[in-house]
Every structure is written in structure tokens, then in C-alpha cells.
Amino acid sequence: MTHVLTINSSARHATSASRKLTAQIVQTLNPEKTTERDLSQSVPHIDEAWVGANFTPMDDRSEAQKDVLAFSDTLVDELIAADVIAIGLPVYNFGVPAAMKAWIDQVARVGRTFNYTENGPVGKLAGKKAIVAYASGGTPLGAEYDFASTYLRHVLGFIGITDVTFVTSEEQITALAA
Ligand SMILES: Cc1cc2nc3c(=O)[nH]c(=O)nc-3n(C[C@H](O)[C@H](O)[C@H](O)COP(=O)(O)O)c2cc1C
């Protein structure tokens, strides 16, 4: 069974190119199960209580600290449950939207999505595939000033997702199924 998690972050809805492309990715993959996460619907920034809870060993966390991490755990659980992650990536000011950065801070979790080892950090989500729908107004994918795709690829690799494909058009998505 294939389970696709769709993550959108465009502030726009009906007119969003990245949302249109992620919908097409899901349609093309025709998975048995889908989950949608809309980051434009307020992902909280991490704060001091969050950082304190995250770096408290799991067994030592108070109930209040568990509550602080509950939403982050939900976002991590969504990633762990998915086989394929379809990510809409609108370029905002040469980088990822702030809502996506907030999501990244919530899901880059030691012990949950990566571990520190003798050889440095190792991602725990190996084996998953990410398809990223890149939408921009004038920053070509891979341009020297495209900090959005390079950053997102690096972060996904950090948590173990190294099979990452970027698409910018419906034709490229159709070709994925071929
Ligand atoms: C706040 C904001 C910042 C943007 N910054 C850039 C940019 O740095 N480079 C670029 O090529 N396009 C930029 N754009 C244009 C968007 O990347 C483009 O409209 C894209 O289609 C947005 O994705 P969406 O259609 O899914 O909303 C920006 C748009 C907005 C709203």
C-alpha cells in the first residue's frame, strides 16, 4: 500500500501553482492512502519551552513538556507513516516560505527523525521518496540564488530522505508515472 503525505505551504489557494502541482502528483501516483498537511494554517514557531522539552530525555519529560511537543510529534508521525511525500515549494524571497521553515524546525527532532552517532548525525527516515513541486516567479530551479530547493534537499537528506525529485511542470509529473 502506498501512502502519500502532501505538504503545501503557499499562502495562496485557488491560484497556487505549487498546490496545483502537488494535487497532480497525488492524482498521478493514485495512492491507496493520502494525508494532507497545510502549513499555511499556522505552524507555531518553536520557543524556549519547546527547545527545553525536546532536549529533555524522553523518559524524563513532564506531562507539560509532552504537551509542548504534541503537535511536533503529530507532524513527525505524519512523515513516518508516509511512503512518499509530495511537497509544494513556493519560492518566497529566494528561500522556503516561513511556514515551511517553521515545519522544518518542528520535524527535525533528535531521536525521532535523526540521531547523533559517532559518525555525526544520521537521518532516520531512509527509504522514503520526496517529490517537490517547485513554483517561482523568476528564480529558476537550480539558479545560483535558488536557496529554496538546495536548502530543502539538504534538510530532507539530514532526516534521511535522499530520494528527492524536483518538478516544475505537469509534464514532468506525468513522466514520473511512465
Ligand atoms: C512573498 C512572496 C515572495 C516571493 N519571492 C519570490 C522570489 O524570491 N523569487 C521568485 O522567483 N518568485 C518569488 N515569488 C513568486 C512566487 O514564487 C510565485 O508566485 C509562485 O508561483 C508561488 O507559488 P504558488 O503559486 O504556489 O503560490 C514570491 C511570491 C511571494 C508571495
Side-chain angles (χ1 to χ4, degrees), residues 7-117:
I7 297 171
N8 283 307
S9 58
S10 173
R12 303 194 297 179
H13 287 76
T15 56
S16 161
S18 60
R19 287 178 189 273
K20 195 172 170 197
L21 290 174
T22 53
Q24 204 206 344
I25 291 167
V26 173
Q27 193 182 21
T28 302
L29 296 179
N30 192 23
E32 284 85 1
K33 188 169 178 190
T34 58
T35 302
E36 289 182 36
R37 172 61 60 183
D38 189 345
L39 305 181
S40 75
Q41 303 301 310
S42 299
V43 176
H45 291 182
I46 60 171
D47 58 12
E48 186 163 2
W50 189 101
V51 173
N54 186 39
F55 289 101
T56 299
M58 206 181 306
D59 292 344
D60 298 340
R61 281 179 200 146
S62 66
E63 288 308 310
Q65 286 180 314
K66 289 177 190 166
D67 286 348
V68 164
L69 293 177
F71 183 59
S72 166
D73 281 328
T74 299
L75 297 178
V76 170
D77 290 343
E78 287 175 353
L79 273 177
I80 291 171
D83 307 298
V84 179
I85 300 126
I87 303 175
L89 175 58
V91 178
Y92 281 1
N93 300 310
F94 310 102
V96 304
M100 178 170 286
K101 177 60 167 65
W103 174 80
I104 289 167
D105 288 344
Q106 294 282 354
V107 300
R109 291 272 306 274
V110 63
R112 294 228 57 202
T113 55
F114 71 96
N115 281 326
Y116 292 114
T117 74

Side-chain angles (χ1 to χ4, degrees), residues 90-167:
V91 178
Y92 281 1
N93 300 310
F94 310 102
V96 304
M100 178 170 286
K101 177 60 167 65
W103 174 80
I104 289 167
D105 288 344
Q106 294 282 354
V107 300
R109 291 272 306 274
V110 63
R112 294 228 57 202
T113 55
F114 71 96
N115 281 326
Y116 292 114
T117 74
E118 285 177 355
N119 302 319
V122 174
K124 295 185 72 175
L125 304 187
K128 300 181 190 300
K129 183 177 176 59
I131 304 172
V132 182
Y134 178 95
S136 74
T139 303
L141 177 66
E144 195 188 343
Y145 48 92
D146 159 24
F147 303 102
S149 72
T150 48
Y151 173 66
L152 184 60
R153 185 189 286 280
H154 185 82
V155 166
L156 290 172
F158 179 74
I159 60 175
I161 305 173
T162 53
D163 183 352
V164 183
T165 304
F166 284 84
V167 293

